[in-house]
Amino acid sequence: MNIKPLADRVVIKMVEAEETTKSGIILTGAAKEKPEVAEVVAVGPGGVVDGKEVVMELKVGDKVLTSKYAGTEVKLDGQEYTILRQSDVLAKIEG
């Protein structure tokens, strides 16, 4: 089953948190924070939203930063996704 977002919405999948820090310290499950880095898995067509023209700047495969509580979480085929508006994405990670 596929998710096809409408209007200016994107579907993202959170990237797993690192198991170790850069200095080599292994983190327990309780010490890991909820990841804020996600990968875009689907993008809506954009268009006119709330009377304004929205051009989609994100594409499938982009890595993005989101706020911790943005969007709506959904579970499909055992996988967790978040659906949010493109404007709720804080930044795109390049490089």
Side-chain angles (χ1 to χ4, degrees):
M1 192 176 309
N2 291 331
I3 299 175
K4 177 70 175 155
L6 302 176
D8 66 334
R9 289 182 175 80
V10 295
V11 179
I12 59 173
K13 181 171 74 171
M14 301 311 273
V15 175
E16 292 296 319
E18 293 291 325
E19 297 286 327
T20 58
T21 64
K22 290 182 182 180
S23 60
I25 298 171
I26 298 174
L27 299 175
T28 64
K32 290 186 234 175
E33 291 186 22
K34 181 178 176 185
E36 296 173 28
V37 176
E39 181 179 355
V40 176
V41 295
V43 178
V48 178
V49 178
D50 297 330
K52 298 177 186 173
E53 181 70 25
V54 176
V55 176
M56 299 305 285
E57 297 179 22
L58 298 174
K59 62 185 182 309
V60 174
D62 283 347
K63 298 273 194 254
V64 296
L65 293 174
T66 64
S67 63
K68 290 184 181 186
Y69 306 106
T72 302
E73 294 180 2
V74 295
K75 193 170 189 176
L76 183 65
D77 296 334
Q79 191 71 262
E80 291 186 15
Y81 300 99
T82 303
I83 301 173
L84 58 130
R85 290 186 179 268
Q86 177 177 256
S87 61
D88 291 335
V89 173
L90 302 176
K92 184 164 87 169
I93 299 172
E94 296 180 349

